[in-house]
Structure formats: C-alpha cells, structure tokens
Amino acid sequence: MSVLVIAEHDNHTLGAQTANVISAAAQIDSDIHVLVAGQNCRAVAEQIMAYEGVTRVLVADNHAYCNQLPEVISLLVMEIAGDHAAILSAASASGKNLMPRIAALLDVAQISDIISVESADTFVRPIYAGNALATVQSSDSVKIITVRTSAFESVAQNDSQAEIVDLDSIISQDLSEFVGESLSTTERPELNSASVVISGGRGLGSAENFQILENIADKLGAAIGASRAAVDAGYVGNELQVGQTGKIVAPNLYIAVGISGAIQHLAGMKDSKVIVAINNDPEAPIFQVADYGLVADLFEALPELETLL
Amino acid sequence: MKILVPVKRVVDANVKVRVAADQSGIDLSNVKMAMNPFCEIAVEEAVRLKEKGVADEVIAVTVGSEKCQEQLRTAMALGADRSIWVEADDDIEPLAIAKLLKALVEKESPDLVILGKQSIDGDNNQVGQMLGALCNMPQGTFAFNLKIENGRAIVSREVDGGEQVVSLSLPAIVTTDLRLNEPRYAKLPDIMKAKKKPLESLIPADLGVSVTKSLKVLNVREPEGRKAGVIVNSAEELLDKLRNEAKVIQ
Ligand SMILES: Cc1cc2nc3c(=O)[nH]c(=O)nc-3n(C[C@H](O)[C@H](O)[C@H](O)COP(=O)(O)OP(=O)(O)OC[C@H]3O[C@@H](n4cnc5c(N)ncnc54)[C@H](O)[C@@H]3O)c2cc1C
Ligand SMILES: Nc1ncnc2c1ncn2[C@@H]1O[C@H](COP(=O)(O)O)[C@@H](O)[C@H]1O
C-alpha cells in the first residue's frame, strides 16, 4: 500500500523539510504519494514530481485551501486517507497543527516527532525533551506520523516524473477564518536546514546586541537562533527559538553564545555535529555538551571572532 | 461564558529524568511532579478572562490516577471555580484523553476549551487538535495572544516563519504557547480556599468512553550522551580548531 506525505508550501515554493519527510516515508513504503493542498499551487506540485520515490502528486487547488487551515485540510485528507498505510508530515508548526486532527477523524493514534523508522509499524521518538528515546509499535491500520526532519537526510531528485492527479472535491467550512500573518523575511539560510547556526541567549542583553551575532552569521553563512529567554525578553522573534518547544536543529556547527544550556534548550540542538559554547560562567551546563568551549565575556570574544574571520 | 481547562500532572520541568534500568520507561519514583507548564498558562489565561468579566466560570479537568487531584487543587487555587477528575491510568494515549474530554465538552457545553500545546513528558502536542476534530470545533493552536470579540475568538499563533492570526467561531479550542502569559503563584489563602471548592470524580464508563491503546512501547532508552570536549583559551584557538580539527568552517 502507498504512503501519503503532506507537502509543506506557501503556494509557490516547496518547503525544504518535505524532502526529509519523503525520505522517512520511503522507509515505510516505496510507493509515495504527496498531497499539495493550496491555491494556485501547481508550481509546488511540479517541484515535487522529480523527487525519488514519489509516484503521484495529488493537487487540491482551490480558494478553500488557500491558507491551509487544519479544519478544512483534515477533511480533505479524510477523502483520500483510505488508500494509504501511513500519512506523514514534518513536525513543523503546520504539521503539528494538522496531523492530530486527521488522526482523531480516522480514530487512530498519532506518533509525533519520529527520528527513526525501524519497520513499517515501529518507530523511535524522543520523549521528555529528548532525555529518553521510546521505540513504539503501532497496531493501527493507518499510521499518522510527524517527522523530526533533522533526523532524516533529504531525498534525492532524479529524472523520473511522478504523475500529477487533480483532486476536485471542494470542502468548505465556516469554523475558522484566516485573518493575517506576519512572516519574517531573511536572506539567511533556513534555521531548520542551515549547516551553521549561531544562537544567542539572555547573555546578549539586548536586541541591539544581536547585531554582533548577525555580523558573524554573515561571515559564516549561518542561520541565527535564540534561546527562549532571548525570545521572551523580546531580543528576537519567536521563530528563532531553538529547543523542546521551538525548532529542532542539527547543523554541522552550532555556536551557543550567552546561553546557559537548560534541558529545554539542549533538546533542540544536542544532535548538532559540532557544538561550540561561549559563556563567561565556566560552570554553565552548556559546556557539558560542547565540543569546544570558550570561557569568555561574549562582548570581547565575538568582536575578536568577527575580526579573525 | 464557560471555559474548560484540561490540565496534566507531569514531571517538574526542572527535573532531569532517568530511564528505568529495565528500559520499560522513565523512573518516576521520588521525582518531583507538577502541573504541566503549558497547562498553568492555560489556567492563567482562563482566570484572566474571568477577571476581565469575559468568562463567568472556569472548570479544570484532568485525566489520570488519584494523585492528579493535586493539580486540580492547584488549578482551583489559581482561580478555577471547580474541577473534574476522570480516574484512569496515567499512561493513556492522547486520543483516549481527547475522547474523554469530548464527553465532558458535551456534558458541560463550554464556549472555550484552553489546553496546553504540549505535555512536557510525552511531548505529544496532540490532545487539543484531536479534541477539535472530535467536537468539530475550530482550533487556535500555539497561541501567544487571545481576544474574545463579537462572539469569536481571535487567536494570534506562533508559526514557523513568524506569526499568524485566525478568527474562530465559538465554541473553540485554544492551545497555549509560553508567551501567552506569565502564570501567577498561588497564595496561601487561595490554596486554603481551593480545598473547599467542588471536585467531582468520574470514571471513563460514566462518560461512555472505553479507553483502548494502539501503541505499544517496546523500550525506552537513553540517547547517546555527548561528552564535554575541550576548553579553548582564545577566539583564535577556537577558530583554528574549527578550521583544522573539526573542519566545519573554511
Ligand atoms: C515548558 C518549558 C519549555 C521551554 N522550552 C524552551 C525552548 O524550546 N528553548 C529554550 O531555549 N528554552 C526553553 N525553555 C526555557 C529554559 O528552561 C531556559 O529558561 C532558557 O533556555 C534559558 O535561556 P538562556 O540560556 O538564554 O538564559 P540563562 O539561563 O539566563 O543563561 C544566560 C547565560 O548567559 C551567560 N552570560 C551572561 N552574560 C554573559 C557575557 N557577557 N558573556 C558570556 N556569557 C554571558 C550566563 O553565564 C548564562 O549562562 C523552556 C522552559 C519551559 C518551562
Ligand atoms: N491526562 C490529561 N488530562 C487532562 N488534560 C490533558 C491530559 N493529557 C494532555 N492534556 C491536555 O492536552 C495538552 C496537550 O497534551 P499532549 O497532546 O499530550 O502534548 C496538555 O497541555 C493538557 O492541556
């Protein structure tokens, strides 16, 4: 039986995480269908066609799906769910918002945030902020899964072309209405997929001081991240938060500056390949997970780094 | 307006948990327990709506074993008017919890259900959305701002790229993010008063729900630990290591 992946997109561009979800899906079954629900989203379907393993791209293109509200997309998925052994999405804000609704309508469990596929019915997922890994087996007829994309390579593209199938059913609802959004625009790489991330914490002291991080990020081609404390203090927007309740990242290089290393922060970055910590408190727990620690005042160390880069 | 607030008893957020030696789960003996932080935020939001005169009753509910009543008392000390305890195993699955909550929604007809976005033990992030689907209610998840206007809930949400605002018809589901508010501490007189507030107890059969499981935990293990590396003495040495030893920058 095939598996269904819910594509992440903004009606124009496919989100980078979808390629990682496809590679998780491929470990469950080789026949992969991808759903693109949106408005004027044909271009997204075309971007997906060439991904290895994808045999069919289902396109639901209608004003009703424009903002991808979960109340309506869950009902749309219900119409095609019967044909699939598993339905997967990224464990992103939109995946987390949507997938449990689908699971409940199908009367099955959801397996959140998987980091490994052991077999078609057995998966590994972190619990307790990543302090434990649970291997769970599902007896449900259809598995509803969100994927921690940092744990899966993204799937390659090849010459094969999946077929595009239009879904014409139109589902409408008047429970919820999209009012607006404000999305940050940045020239930097996406936090989720950047190979270098430099994050600042409460130690930065102000929004202005994040500029010092920006300068270094520019030189390293890095994405900027932050601890919850820095977000709470209003230094940066919440979309930069790394941790148990923020984004999970696993770059080649993670530089934590003025971050103490609370369990909840570590949950979001401890699978990074190389971790650097810069902190003036030698006892800070972040040093226990850092490959390279620099005990220093960040206001001295950062400008020095910038000059040396 | 009536608000239902489901709260969960979990390991305190500051505890570093240990995996049980037989890999069957987490060793919870003698571990400090508390209300899930996101649920505290949910209680606080509901109580603030009551203080503003928007809501007139706040009902806390929990599903779990006997000890969970402590968290209901906490919720009442923080301002909930009464509470409902549904007795069940502590490890029942999110879908079963959502079904029990659905039955309570039908019984109580709240205008708003405010839940935490995630329990910090299972890190599921499911119950609110599942309840929304089961009750055919709209949802505003990961809320950092909530307003009730003209009979609708206007919810500002944290999303991956920034922020989103949705307008929901009532009754609606809201799940809380950390930025929504800063929960108060319960004062001693309020803790005393909470002891006298009504706490109803039910079992799943009273609600016509049978609790089943579809996930089997085969084992729970510790992740591979990271070891502390080296302390470098200068920015210069750091860059040298990153370039020539770790080879992660040019
Ligand atoms: C339910 C829940 C979920 C949470 N989720 C998250 C999450 O997803 N992500 C997250 O990050 N947190 C999360 N938290 C918060 C977490 O517990 C910590 O409070 C937070 O990570 C602390 O941020 P911080 O390290 O920036 O601040 P602090 O702990 O205050 O640390 C600041 C550090 O900066 C250092 N410093 C200060 N000045 C300087 C200087 N001049 N030079 C060098 N170093 C300096 C200090 O020595 C200190 O170590 C959550 C908490 C809860 C309860
Ligand atoms: N056993 C429970 N009893 C009452 N509410 C719960 C329970 N489990 C989860 N919830 C609610 O659902 C939210 C999300 O939990 P979860 O889906 O498990 O991450 C929690 O913050 C609570 O508001």
Side-chain angles (χ1 to χ4, degrees):
Chain A
M1 233 192 333
S2 51
V3 289
L4 179 68
V5 168
I6 314 282
E8 189 119 340
H9 66 92
D10 61 1
N11 289 326
H12 310 286
T13 314
L14 181 68
Q17 295 190 64
T18 303
N20 307 72
V21 180
I22 293 172
S23 95
Q27 295 181 33
I28 300 176
D29 195 282
S30 57
D31 185 9
I32 300 167
H33 299 183
V34 181
L35 172 69
V36 180
Q39 185 179 23
N40 299 328
C41 54
R42 193 90 191 167
V44 179
E46 278 157 15
Q47 292 159 48
I48 297 168
M49 278 167 71
Y51 280 104
E52 214 167 81
V54 177
T55 56
R56 192 176 291 177
V57 185
L58 305 164
V59 185
D61 190 336
N62 190 278
H63 178 65
Y65 312 131
C66 175
N67 298 302
Q68 302 175 42
L69 294 175
E71 292 82 358
V72 57
I73 303 296
S74 57
L75 297 175
L76 172 70
V77 171
M78 225 26 54
E79 302 210 329
I80 50 174
D83 311 336
H84 300 96
I87 306 178
L88 302 92
S89 86
S92 56
S94 63
K96 288 172 179 166
N97 198 27
L98 170 67
M99 297 303 276
R101 270 192 103 98
I102 297 173
L105 293 175
L106 289 168
D107 196 26
V108 299
Q110 170 173 309
I111 306 150
S112 297
D113 246 313
I114 65 161
I115 57 166
S116 138
V117 176
E118 303 290 292
S119 72
D121 67 2
T122 305
F123 311 93
V124 180
R125 58 176 303 258
I127 53 175
Y128 288 88
N131 286 306
L133 302 177
T135 305
V136 296
Q137 185 174 37
S138 161
S139 57
D140 285 321
S141 56
V142 39
K143 278 76 179 162
I144 304 298
I145 292 168
T146 62
V147 176
R148 177 169 293 191
T149 51
S150 60
F152 294 86
E153 297 286 325
S154 60
V155 75
Q157 295 187 307
N158 61 17
D159 302 330
S160 68
Q161 297 273 300
E163 61 168 333
I164 294 194
V165 177
D166 288 296
L167 302 178
D168 356 286
S169 71
I170 299 166
I171 291 161
S172 56
Q173 55 97 27
D174 51 12
L175 296 172
S176 65
E177 232 173 74
F178 174 85
V179 177
E181 64 189 357
S182 81
L183 302 179
S184 67
T185 47
T186 166
E187 301 288 297
R188 296 183 194 290
E190 243 188 89
L191 186 51
N192 283 309
S193 49
S195 64
V196 181
V197 173
I198 178 161
S199 288
R202 201 196 310 266
L204 267 287
S206 72
E208 292 70 46
N209 289 337
F210 259 79
Q211 187 57 47
I212 321 177
L213 285 195
E214 305 255 346
N215 298 344
I216 294 178
D218 284 341
K219 298 207 163 162
L220 291 173
I224 303 248
S227 71
R228 182 81 221 178
V231 172
D232 278 342
Y235 303 166
V236 291
N238 74 277
E239 68 278 3
L240 300 190
Q241 185 193 331
V242 171
Q244 181 185 17
T245 50
K247 294 205 169 105
I248 311 284
V249 302
N252 284 332
L253 173 60
Y254 186 90
I255 307 175
V257 184
I259 292 178
S260 62
I263 308 172
Q264 295 88 0
H265 188 78
L266 300 185
M269 43 63 78
K270 71 179 159 54
D271 292 325
S272 304
K273 201 163 141 237
V274 173
I275 296 175
V276 169
I278 302 175
N279 196 307
N280 61 5
D281 172 9
E283 303 298 323
I286 190 76
F287 287 120
Q288 290 163 20
V289 299
D291 300 286
Y292 302 105
L294 177 59
V295 182
D297 185 332
L298 69 92
F299 297 106
E300 286 165 21
L302 289 184
E304 225 180 298
L305 272 180
E306 192 191 336
T307 327
L308 290 166
L309 274 166
Chain B
M1 167 164 181
K2 202 184 210 185
I3 306 179
L4 196 66
V5 186
V7 299
K8 187 176 186 192
R9 174 184 175 88
V10 297
V11 169
D12 185 276
N14 299 312
V15 171
K16 182 156 180 355
V17 296
R18 274 202 319 273
V19 170
D22 64 359
Q23 296 206 329
S24 62
I26 299 295
D27 184 359
L28 290 179
S29 46
N30 302 318
V31 171
K32 186 171 172 223
M33 304 295 283
M35 190 190 297
N36 185 37
F38 292 100
C39 300
E40 282 180 1
I41 295 169
V43 172
E44 177 69 29
E45 196 66 15
V47 170
R48 286 188 193 183
L49 286 171
K50 186 175 170 190
E51 288 168 348
K52 280 190 225 151
V54 178
D56 39 47
E57 190 178 27
V58 176
I59 309 162
V61 312
T62 196
V63 179
S65 61
E66 193 157 5
K67 284 245 162 73
C68 298
Q69 292 175 81
E70 285 171 22
Q71 277 60 50
L72 293 177
R73 292 288 170 206
T74 305
M76 291 189 288
L78 294 171
D81 300 292
R82 61 183 170 97
S83 53
I84 304 171
W85 166 46
V86 182
E87 184 174 7
D89 284 347
D90 282 322
D91 60 348
I92 69 174
E93 291 171 7
L95 182 60
I97 292 165
K99 286 179 181 173
L100 292 164
L101 294 176
K102 178 196 181 207
L104 288 174
V105 165
E106 283 166 357
K107 191 165 173 268
E108 297 285 349
S109 307
D111 303 283
L112 206 55
V113 186
I114 310 182
L115 306 91
K117 78 162 176 181
Q118 170 176 347
S119 33
I120 61 161
D121 49 4
D123 284 332
N124 297 308
N125 200 325
Q126 298 177 9
V127 173
Q129 298 89 314
M130 286 181 160
L131 181 63
L134 295 179
C135 298
N136 193 32
M137 283 188 202
Q139 68 188 37
T141 53
F142 326 148
F144 69 88
N145 191 19
L146 167 64
K147 280 182 300 207
I148 306 295
E149 271 172 21
N150 306 322
R152 295 181 75 88
I154 314 299
V155 183
S156 306
R157 313 178 48 233
E158 297 197 356
V159 296
D160 282 343
E163 303 171 354
Q164 183 191 64
V165 183
V166 289
S167 161
L168 315 174
S169 62
L170 298 180
I173 305 284
V174 171
T175 78
T176 62
D177 220 314
L178 293 176
R179 258 202 303 165
L180 183 60
N181 61 48
E182 212 166 297
R184 69 195 70 187
Y185 290 98
K187 295 195 206 75
L188 193 59
D190 295 328
I191 294 171
M192 300 312 288
K193 258 192 263 167
K195 292 188 174 151
K196 298 207 183 77
K197 291 186 180 177
L199 192 161
E200 180 186 357
S201 66
L202 296 171
I203 57 170
D206 296 334
L207 296 167
V209 176
S210 68
V211 172
T212 53
K213 274 194 185 176
S214 58
L215 298 179
K216 194 163 134 197
V217 178
L218 301 182
N219 66 64
V220 173
R221 62 195 150 86
E222 252 175 73
E224 262 171 59
R226 280 191 93 101
K227 285 199 199 76
V230 296
I231 295 292
V232 295
N233 294 311
S234 66
E236 196 173 353
E237 188 186 346
L238 175 62
L239 281 186
D240 175 59
K241 295 272 191 198
L242 292 178
R243 283 186 176 126
N244 304 315
E245 191 175 271
K247 299 193 168 52
V248 283
I249 62 170
Q250 308 261 299

